Amino acid sequence: MSKQDFITMPRAQLRQYILDRREDDEAFQIYLDRFTFEDSVIFPAPQSIDDLENFPELHQQNLERLRNQA
């Protein structure tokens, strides 16, 4: 399979390819390059039970952001 195939391959198919062929570093790197965005919002892991209280709100905000990007 050529590099071009990885680039045009749908995300789910590329993910499955990587899971089936874990030694294929080239495919894994292409997956990371395609699906890692510079503007991604990274939420810190909860440090306490109180942090979990805000999770539903943060999750909803993230879902709305993803919908607006599509």
Side-chain angles (χ1 to χ4, degrees):
M1 185 161 293
S2 71
K3 189 180 210 179
Q4 185 64 27
D5 292 335
F6 296 140
I7 292 171
T8 60
M9 191 180 289
R11 181 180 191 159
Q13 185 180 358
L14 181 55
R15 181 180 181 276
Q16 189 59 52
Y17 177 90
I18 291 168
L19 290 173
D20 293 342
R21 297 167 189 85
R22 294 175 187 261
E23 73 285 347
D24 192 335
D25 294 332
E26 179 185 12
F28 181 68
Q29 187 59 51
I30 290 171
Y31 183 86
L32 289 178
D33 290 344
R34 282 181 59 192
F35 302 111
T36 303
F37 302 103
E38 290 180 14
D39 63 344
S40 294
V41 177
I42 299 174
F43 297 99
Q47 301 298 314
S48 68
I49 297 296
D50 293 334
D51 290 347
L52 291 176
E53 290 178 7
N54 294 326
F55 179 77
E57 180 183 323
L58 294 173
H59 182 63
Q60 186 62 36
Q61 288 174 358
N62 189 43
L63 290 175
E64 289 173 11
R65 184 180 60 83
L66 292 173
R67 278 188 218 117
N68 291 334
Q69 287 179 351

